[in-house]
Structures are given as structure tokens and as C-alpha cells.
């Protein structure tokens, strides 16, 4: 029969038509929607497609009795919470206890007393409504608490990141500032030094040309200081000093880029992606060197021709720092787990770059031959606070922040391809404009 969604629906199960008639008329007069079944089997079938709010269940029936019907209903997750009231002519305490043990909430004795039937039905309908309302309220409060917790975690993550980047930015900016003066002095003076030495050497050559027979003391001193070697090696020293000063200047520039405070700046600037990757590699160079477990990590650059892009340089540098650091961690973990240092294993990070097919963005791929990830881990790596590292190795914020920077701040994409034991590859896609 059709059941109104605004009234309580009661199923009455009894094999005696006279009993059904009395109960149906009594409950119908009170406004309840009533359906009937003449056996436990029919009741179970009917309930499978139309769940009642309450069941009145006779104990003594042919086929499966009321006890067995109740047992099956309570074993089914879909019907286990429907309140069941037994209808019985049995008044022995053992049957009553058995009914309650199986999960019944109450019982009505035959012959029926109308007042008693209605009182018990109304009570348990009301209790069921209270339970349903309570469950809804609990679910609502749980959902609110979950949302509040997520918002709190997001706020904490942003606060931690803001403070961390602010402190790190101030530190790096300070270091870069302190490096500027000595770098400038070394860089500027190395050129003057090179010119002075060229002049002195030319002056010395003139002396040797016009005074080929020096005094004995001069000859002995020239041999003592190995004058020929000094003359040959001095240009090499100057070249090395100039290269070193240029490297320090590049490192200083890299530190300033990484320390840029863009938290309150919504203006993107043009930048060359390859420069930021190279800056990151320079800052992480000490971690790429050989250690007691492995040889030096080989960095293979497969850069394609790419235009400048509009971005937040400091944030982009942070993403590269995180991904390349993770690649180094993955290689170190792989080597330690597999003891590959006993064999010929060349740790490697390969960095690819190219323009995407429709020429609207650039793609950077950072691939390592480290430990790799399972499908379960890969599915969670961009979640806030998820990490597979030990407590002292990280907070679990890095990849979630990198994802936010790429997707939310730059309108780009970040995803990962990885197989456990066969390395990982992180792919970034950034719009050009």
C-alpha cells in the first residue's frame, strides 16, 4: 500500500485474520499508516522494500516464528534499529525474557486491550522519533565539529607556514644582505687584482728581457719560490677567484629570491623558471654530494626552450625547494632500505621542462630513482599534515603547501606518478600569463 511520508508507518505481523483486523482498525483510527503480513517470511520480504517505523510481531506463527523473525531483523543493518513489540498470548517470563534478549522493546498480551496497545505504540513511536532526532543532531554536530577542525587545521597550517616563511625569509634576506658587501669587494677587486698582476708580470718579463743575468741572490730566490710555477699558476688562481665570487653572487641572488615575502602581494612578476630551478639546486648542493651511503646524486637537466612566465618567484622557489628536497630524501631512504651502496647504483634526479601542447603553459617534471610510493600513500601525499617521515624529519605541510601554491595561487596543476620501489615523478604545470 502507499505510505504517506508525513505519518508513522506500522507493520503488523500475525497469522490470525481476526487479530489483524482489530489491530489495523485500532491503529488506523489513530491516524497511523498500517500494513500487514500473515507470516514471518512475508514480513521479511515486505520489509526489504518498505521499512516501517514500528513492527508489531506475533510470536507463534507457522514457518519461522516471531523469535526467528526478530533475530533476522536485528542481524540486518538496514532493519536492526526498527523497534519491535511482540504480541503474545504467552505470559511466562522465559518467553518475555527471550524476546527482550533478541532485541524487542516491549510486548503486548492477547487478548488485546485497545488502551494498552495505543499507549505502548505511542510510547515507542515517540521514543523512536527522539532517537532519530538525536542521531540527526549528533550527525549535524559531528559535521560542524569536523568542519571546525578542518578550518582550525587550515588556519594553523597557514599560520605555521606564514611564520616559518617569515622567519626563514628574514634569515635568508639577512644572510644575502651580509654577503653583498664582501661579495662586491671580492668581485670588484678580483678584476683590479687581475690587471695588477698582468702589469707586474709584464714588468717582470721586461726585466728578464733587458737584464738576462741577474745577481746570484735573485737566482736563488727565484728557485726557492719556484718563479716559473708562480707565473704559470697566478692566472689560474685569478680565474678560480672570479668563478667563486660569481657563484657566491648567484647564491646571494637565490637566497633573496627564496626569501621574498609575497604573502601580502597579489602582483605576479615575470621570471625565468630555469633560473629558479638552478638557484634551488645551488642552495641544496650540499645535500647532493656523496655521503657514507651513496655516491653524489647526479642531476640531469633536460631543459626545453621556454618563455618567461608570470608568477610569484618566492613561492615558486619554495615549491622547487620542497620537491627537490623530497627527491633527495626518497633516494636516501631507498639506498638505506635496499643497501644499494654495496652495489653500483647511481642516484639521479632528472628535471625536464617544456611548453605544453596548446602553448598556454609550461610543464616541469622532477623525477628521482628513489624509494617510490604505494598507491595508498600517493593518494594522500597532498593532504594537510600527512607525512611518512619521522617526527623530527618534517611536519607534513610541505606538499600540501606546494599544491596550494601551484593550484590556488598560480592557477596551475601539481600531480605525482610513482611506483613503490621505482622512484617518483612530480609534474607541475604553470600558465604562462
Amino acid at each position: 500500500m502507499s505510505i504517506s511520508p508525513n505519518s508513522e508507518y506500522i507493520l503488523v505481523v500475525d497469522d490470525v485474520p481476526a487479530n489483524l483486523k482489530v489491530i489495523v482498525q485500532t491503529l488506523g483510527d489513530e491516524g497511523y499508516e498500517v500494513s500487514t503480513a500473515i507470516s514471518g517470511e512475508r514480513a521479511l520480504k515486505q520489509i526489504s522494500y518498505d521499512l516501517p517505523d514500528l513492527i508489531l510481531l506475533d510470536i507463534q506463527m507457522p514457518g519461522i516464528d516471531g523469535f526467528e523473525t526478530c533475530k533476522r531483523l536485528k542481524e540486518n543493518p538496514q532493519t536492526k534499529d526498527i523497534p519491535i513489540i511482540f504480541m503474545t498470548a504467552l505470559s511466562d517470563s522465559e518467553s518475555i525474557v527471550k524476546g527482550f534478549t533478541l532485541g524487542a522493546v516491549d510486548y503486548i498480551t492477547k487478548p488485546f486491550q485497545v488502551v494498552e496497545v495505543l499507549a505502548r505504540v505511542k510510547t515507542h513511536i515517540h521514543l523512536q522519533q527522539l532517537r532519530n532526532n538525536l542521531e540527526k543532531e549528533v550527525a549535524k554536530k559531528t559535521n560542524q565539529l569536523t568542519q571546525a577542525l578542518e578550518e582550525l587545521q587550515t588556519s594553523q597550517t597557514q599560520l605555521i607556514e606564514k611564520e616559518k616563511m617569515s622567519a626563514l625569509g628574514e634569515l635568508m634576506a639577512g644572510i644575502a644582505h651580509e654577503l653583498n658587501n664582501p661579495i662586491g669587494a671580492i668581485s670588484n677587486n678580483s678584476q683590479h687584482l687581475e690587471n695588477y698582476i698582468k702589469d707586474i708580470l709584464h714588468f717582470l718579463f721586461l726585466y728578464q728581457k733587458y737584464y738576462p743575468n741577474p745577481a746570484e741572490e735573485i737566482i736563488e730566490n727565484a728557485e726557492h719560490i719556484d718563479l716559473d710555477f708562480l707565473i704559470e699558476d697566478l692566472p689560474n688562481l685569478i680565474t678560480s677567484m672570479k668563478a667563486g665570487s660569481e657563484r657566491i653572487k648567484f647564491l646571494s641572488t637565490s637566497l633573496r629570491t627564496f626569501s621574498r615575502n609575497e604573502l601580502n602581494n597579489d602582483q605576479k612578476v615575470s621570471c625565468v623558471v630555469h633560473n629558479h630551478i638552478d638557484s634551488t639546486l645551488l642552495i641544496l648542493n650540499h645535500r647532493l654530494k656523496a655521503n657514507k651511503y651513496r655516491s653524489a646524486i647526479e642531476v640531469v637537466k633536460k631543459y626545453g626552450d621556454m618563455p618567461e612566465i608570470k608568477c610569484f618567484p618566492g613561492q615558486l622557489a619554495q615549491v622547487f625547494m620542497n620537491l627537490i628536497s623530497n627527491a633527495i630524501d626518497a633516494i636516501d631512504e631507498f639506498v638505506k632500505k635496499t643497501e644499494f651502496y654495496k652495489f653500483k647504483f647511481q642516484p639521479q634526479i632528472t628535471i625536464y621542462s617544456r611548453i605544453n601542447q596548446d602553448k598556454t603553459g609550461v610543464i616541469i617534471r622532477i623525477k628521482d630513482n628513489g624509494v617510490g610510493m604505494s598507491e595508498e600513500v600517493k593518494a594522500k601525499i597532498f593532504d594537510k599534515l600527512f607525512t611518512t617521515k619521522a617526527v623530527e624529519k618534517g611536519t607534513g605541510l610541505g606538499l600540501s603547501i606546494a599544491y596550494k601554491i601551484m593550484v590556488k595561487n598560480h592557477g596551475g596543476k601539481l600531480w605525482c606518478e610513482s611506483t613503490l620501489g621505482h622512484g617518483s615523478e612530480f609534474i607541475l604545470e604553470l600558465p604562462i600569463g
Side-chain angles (χ1 to χ4, degrees), residues 236-260:
N236 296 333
L237 290 179
I238 297 299
T239 301
S240 178
M241 289 172 61
K242 291 174 70 176
S245 67
E246 288 301 315
R247 186 173 179 83
I248 296 173
K249 284 172 66 177
F250 185 49
L251 177 59
S252 176
T253 302
S254 301
L255 290 174
R256 285 200 302 273
T257 298
F258 191 75
S259 66
R260 286 182 63 149

Side-chain angles (χ1 to χ4, degrees), residues 40-82:
E41 291 90 341
R42 290 193 179 185
L44 292 172
K45 184 176 181 180
Q46 187 169 328
I47 291 171
S48 67
Y49 58 82
D50 201 357
L51 295 178
D53 297 299
L54 178 71
I55 300 173
L56 298 180
L57 180 61
D58 187 27
I59 290 180
Q60 294 182 323
M61 294 184 295
I64 61 172
D65 61 12
F67 291 136
E68 178 61 23
T69 304
C70 180
K71 180 173 177 291
R72 295 188 187 184
L73 288 170
K74 294 302 176 182
E75 288 173 347
N76 185 340
Q78 290 186 316
T79 59
K80 65 183 181 64
D81 294 324
I82 300 174

Side-chain angles (χ1 to χ4, degrees), residues 193-219:
L193 181 61
E194 183 177 24
N195 294 334
Y196 296 161
I197 289 175
K198 284 180 180 179
D199 290 341
I200 292 172
L201 289 178
H202 181 65
F203 187 75
L204 180 59
F205 292 149
L206 290 176
Y207 256 101
Q208 289 175 331
K209 179 179 179 180
Y210 292 106
Y211 298 95
N213 299 311
E216 186 66 28
E217 183 178 356
I218 294 176
I219 294 175

Side-chain angles (χ1 to χ4, degrees), residues 307-323:
E308 291 188 359
I309 66 168
K310 293 282 189 180
C311 70
F312 300 109
Q315 294 183 20
L316 191 58
Q318 184 184 352
V319 172
F320 290 139
M321 178 70 71
N322 180 271
L323 296 182

Side-chain angles (χ1 to χ4, degrees), residues 50-281:
D50 201 357
L51 295 178
D53 297 299
L54 178 71
I55 300 173
L56 298 180
L57 180 61
D58 187 27
I59 290 180
Q60 294 182 323
M61 294 184 295
I64 61 172
D65 61 12
F67 291 136
E68 178 61 23
T69 304
C70 180
K71 180 173 177 291
R72 295 188 187 184
L73 288 170
K74 294 302 176 182
E75 288 173 347
N76 185 340
Q78 290 186 316
T79 59
K80 65 183 181 64
D81 294 324
I82 300 174
I84 297 174
I85 298 177
F86 275 126
M87 301 183 296
T88 178
L90 302 174
S91 58
D92 63 287
S93 58
E94 183 178 345
S95 296
I96 294 172
V97 170
K98 183 177 180 180
F100 284 126
T101 302
L102 289 171
V105 295
D106 207 343
Y107 69 96
I108 301 171
T109 56
K110 299 177 182 178
F112 301 123
Q113 299 295 320
V114 171
V115 175
E116 178 188 6
V117 171
L118 292 177
R120 293 182 186 274
V121 166
K122 287 180 180 178
T123 296
H124 291 291
I125 285 287
H126 182 62
L127 288 175
Q128 183 67 359
Q129 289 173 340
L130 291 176
R131 278 194 294 269
N132 291 338
N133 291 337
L134 180 60
E135 288 175 0
K136 290 178 182 177
E137 190 64 24
V138 169
K140 179 181 177 182
K141 294 296 183 184
T142 301
N143 184 54
Q144 291 175 345
L145 287 172
T146 301
Q147 289 180 344
L149 179 60
E150 289 178 355
E151 290 173 1
L152 178 61
Q153 288 178 335
T154 299
S155 298
Q156 288 177 331
T157 298
Q158 292 173 344
L159 180 61
I160 291 170
E161 175 60 14
K162 184 176 180 179
E163 292 181 353
K164 183 188 75 172
M165 289 307 299
S166 176
L168 184 59
E170 289 178 7
L171 174 63
M172 289 189 170
I175 293 173
H177 178 73
E178 291 299 322
L179 284 174
N180 278 341
N181 288 336
I183 290 172
I186 294 171
S187 180
N188 293 333
N189 290 333
S190 63
Q191 186 59 52
H192 294 306
L193 181 61
E194 183 177 24
N195 294 334
Y196 296 161
I197 289 175
K198 284 180 180 179
D199 290 341
I200 292 172
L201 289 178
H202 181 65
F203 187 75
L204 180 59
F205 292 149
L206 290 176
Y207 256 101
Q208 289 175 331
K209 179 179 179 180
Y210 292 106
Y211 298 95
N213 299 311
E216 186 66 28
E217 183 178 356
I218 294 176
I219 294 175
E220 289 178 357
N221 185 256
E223 291 176 352
H224 177 70
I225 64 175
D226 197 352
L227 182 61
D228 291 339
F229 174 76
L230 290 182
I231 292 172
E232 180 183 353
D233 197 45
L234 265 175
N236 296 333
L237 290 179
I238 297 299
T239 301
S240 178
M241 289 172 61
K242 291 174 70 176
S245 67
E246 288 301 315
R247 186 173 179 83
I248 296 173
K249 284 172 66 177
F250 185 49
L251 177 59
S252 176
T253 302
S254 301
L255 290 174
R256 285 200 302 273
T257 298
F258 191 75
S259 66
R260 286 182 63 149
N261 185 354
E262 297 159 343
L263 295 173
N264 300 314
N265 183 9
D266 58 357
Q267 295 298 316
K268 295 179 181 178
V269 298
S270 295
C271 74
V272 179
V273 172
H274 295 156
N275 289 349
H276 291 297
I277 298 174
D278 292 340
S279 296
T280 304
L281 291 170

